Amino acid sequence: RNCGVRNPGCSAEDIIDAEEKGIKMILGMLYVLYRKYRMRVDPSDSGGSKKTREEDMLLEWVRTVLRNKGFEEEAESVQSFRTSFNDGRVFLALAKCYDGDNNTFDYEEARAKPALDRLTEAFDFAESSMGVSKLLDAGEVAEGNMDERALALYTSLYYHAFKTKAELEQMQETVGASAEQLEMQKKGKEELIKMNYE
């Protein structure tokens, strides 16, 4: 309550007696915590969206990333977690956005494949290059049998991978600029010593 998290009805007894009562309440509590602390998208990352539901902000972030990288068709198709991710085009486009000009995989070739193959290619790339574990079964997603919450949770891992990459690039730029300044100071100092010597 103090953290602003609505308890879905999980009590201390539910946790202690999980073997007898099952883990449904515990999973519900974990999902609520995950929504609050890991699914929340920074409004500046989702195009300044005024939406407050974590899932809606995440969908808006996906649309913003895809539009910014020129994937208009895929961005327009992002309406809900229930229907928009099943054919693999959105996950594949997100993978290409992350990959950028590296061409780790042939996007056009992968895009022409069936939904199951697109999803497999996107999930493989996410695991190997983005550090996003394969939490979903590509077959279940392609068939439309995947729970919306699972898709939202998995998509939030893409968000954090993109955010981490941006932070690392910013740090590298800062370190690069600092190294450049140090080099200039060193040259300046060497020139002053040389002038004094002369």
Side-chain angles (χ1 to χ4, degrees), residues 102-132:
N102 294 332
N103 295 322
T104 306
F105 66 98
D106 188 337
Y107 172 75
E108 291 303 328
E109 182 184 310
R111 191 172 187 259
K113 293 179 179 179
L116 179 60
D117 294 337
R118 279 193 296 257
L119 285 162
T120 301
E121 185 116 12
F123 292 172
D124 287 345
F125 174 82
E127 185 171 49
S128 65
S129 300
M130 299 171 69
V132 174

Side-chain angles (χ1 to χ4, degrees), residues 41-50 57-58 60-62 64 159:
V41 174
D42 187 339
S44 64
D45 292 335
S46 63
S49 175
K50 301 282 190 248
M57 290 176 71
L58 197 53
E60 191 60 42
W61 170 79
V62 171
T64 301
Y159 168 73

Side-chain angles (χ1 to χ4, degrees), residues 97-193:
C97 291
Y98 187 91
D99 192 37
D101 295 331
N102 294 332
N103 295 322
T104 306
F105 66 98
D106 188 337
Y107 172 75
E108 291 303 328
E109 182 184 310
R111 191 172 187 259
K113 293 179 179 179
L116 179 60
D117 294 337
R118 279 193 296 257
L119 285 162
T120 301
E121 185 116 12
F123 292 172
D124 287 345
F125 174 82
E127 185 171 49
S128 65
S129 300
M130 299 171 69
V132 174
S133 299
K134 274 190 208 177
L135 299 180
L136 306 180
D137 179 74
E140 287 185 36
V141 176
E143 291 168 10
N145 297 333
M146 190 58 62
D147 185 89
E148 286 181 66
R149 290 171 293 195
L151 282 164
L153 187 146
Y154 182 72
T155 305
S156 73
L157 298 178
Y158 277 66
Y159 168 73
H160 288 287
F162 272 82
K163 195 164 181 72
T164 300
K165 182 182 180 186
E167 288 169 357
L168 283 172
E169 287 171 353
Q170 188 176 8
M171 282 173 50
Q172 286 173 340
E173 286 176 19
T174 304
V175 167
S178 297
E180 210 173 284
Q181 286 176 340
L182 285 171
E183 190 62 34
M184 288 175 66
Q185 287 175 354
K186 182 181 173 189
K187 282 182 182 175
K189 189 176 179 182
E190 287 170 358
E191 285 177 17
L192 281 172
I193 292 169

Side-chain angles (χ1 to χ4, degrees), residues 1-65:
R1 195 179 311 125
N2 293 342
C3 296
V5 176
R6 187 182 60 81
N7 187 337
C10 183
S11 66
E13 290 80 14
D14 290 320
I15 295 170
I16 292 169
D17 300 331
E19 285 187 30
E20 295 169 23
K21 295 183 176 184
I23 61 169
K24 186 176 179 181
M25 295 305 238
I26 298 170
L27 290 174
M29 183 66 174
L30 290 173
Y31 184 75
V32 169
L33 289 169
Y34 192 89
R35 261 182 98 200
K36 166 95 175 167
Y37 294 108
R38 290 294 289 173
M39 273 191 189
R40 181 156 303 273
V41 174
D42 187 339
S44 64
D45 292 335
S46 63
S49 175
K50 301 282 190 248
K51 296 180 176 173
T52 55
R53 245 181 102 234
E54 287 82 1
E55 289 87 345
D56 293 336
M57 290 176 71
L58 197 53
L59 287 171
E60 191 60 42
W61 170 79
V62 171
R63 284 190 286 269
T64 301
V65 168

